[in-house]
Amino acid sequence: MISINPNTISEHAISKILKGTIIPRPIAFVTTISDEKIVNGAPFSYFNIVAAYPPMISLSIQREGGNIKDTTRNIKFNGEFVVHIVDQDNVAKVNETAAPLPYNESELELADMTQVPSEEISVPGIMEAKVRMECKLVKTVPLEKNNHIVCDLLIGEVVHFHLDEGIYETNGRITAEKLNPVSRLAGAEYAKLGEFFSIERPK
């Protein structure tokens, strides 16, 4: 085994290890709205479930040079956001939104995405997703290193689900093959669903 103390290597080297080993990572495409009423869209793979009831999810958004990301700023401004699951049908458009844009320009227009109104919140979602989760901010946790905030951990409660009829079974389960989610690996690499297998829990 190779032993590495993260304090002895660069931030870039640490990132490569984490992104190359904690895989595959689900991808959230997040829409928010600014104080200027501009709809922002951005993908994040530091994303997961926090709790099933109440339904809560997490987004971890790294700061760049100490600067807060537009998504974090917008969520802290109005406390609302929409999470979409990235799949094989929308991943190319989602990738376009990762281009750096000024704060007052919408990534949705750049990627030619279709806005759809939400039921419970003011932030719109996008039509090009099989899953939309309307969320309200529960808590923001700034994470520090050497007295500098390096990351914002955002916890949101899902207040409304939108699910494509094709992926939702009568027993309430989601058909993974029909959702066709994609996951993030390292660098420019993504992954599709692979071979399925089951292991029963011990009783």
Side-chain angles (χ1 to χ4, degrees):
M1 299 291 287
I2 298 171
S3 297
I4 300 173
N5 182 332
N7 292 318
T8 64
I9 60 177
S10 69
E11 179 181 334
H12 180 65
I14 295 170
S15 178
K16 288 172 67 174
I17 293 172
L18 289 173
K19 292 177 179 179
T21 56
I22 301 177
I23 56 173
R25 297 186 306 280
I27 308 169
F29 180 69
V30 183
T31 53
T32 58
I33 193 165
S34 73
D35 54 352
E36 298 178 1
K37 306 303 180 185
I38 303 296
V39 180
N40 172 273
F44 297 95
S45 66
Y46 294 7
F47 151 66
N48 222 311
I49 301 169
V50 171
Y53 187 80
M56 291 191 287
I57 60 178
S58 65
L59 295 172
S60 180
I61 304 179
Q62 198 85 23
R63 295 196 180 191
E64 293 183 353
N67 297 318
I68 192 170
K69 289 283 187 74
D70 293 348
T71 297
T72 305
R73 181 187 294 111
N74 293 346
I75 292 174
K76 292 176 73 173
F77 165 68
N78 69 0
E80 300 177 342
F81 57 103
V82 182
V83 167
H84 311 76
I85 300 301
V86 178
D87 60 53
Q88 291 183 46
D89 295 329
N90 63 27
V91 65
K93 284 183 175 289
V94 168
N95 185 57
E96 290 183 42
T97 68
L101 289 181
Y103 179 62
N104 61 352
E105 291 186 22
S106 173
E107 292 83 358
L108 303 191
E109 293 181 10
L110 173 70
D112 194 27
M113 289 178 166
T114 310
Q115 293 185 31
V116 289
S118 292
E119 295 284 340
E120 307 288 341
I121 63 176
S122 62
V123 179
I126 60 161
M127 187 179 294
E128 293 83 1
K130 299 183 185 74
V131 176
R132 301 197 312 272
M133 293 178 271
E134 299 178 20
C135 301
K136 290 189 176 181
L137 180 64
V138 173
K139 191 176 185 64
T140 304
V141 183
L143 303 177
E144 297 185 5
K145 175 73 172 177
N146 298 328
N147 296 319
H148 295 288
I149 298 174
V150 296
C151 178
D152 294 283
L153 178 62
L154 308 172
I155 309 296
E157 180 178 350
V158 181
V159 295
H160 206 98
F161 292 100
H162 300 270
L163 305 170
D164 186 282
E165 292 180 0
I167 70 169
Y168 191 71
E169 300 178 14
T170 54
N171 62 6
R173 301 188 73 170
I174 303 298
T175 306
E177 299 96 323
K178 293 182 179 179
L179 175 57
N180 269 333
V182 297
S183 58
R184 197 77 168 87
L185 302 178
E189 295 182 330
Y190 293 77
K192 302 176 183 179
L193 288 178
E195 181 181 350
F196 285 45
F197 65 94
S198 300
I199 299 178
E200 296 295 331
R201 289 189 179 185
K203 294 181 180 180

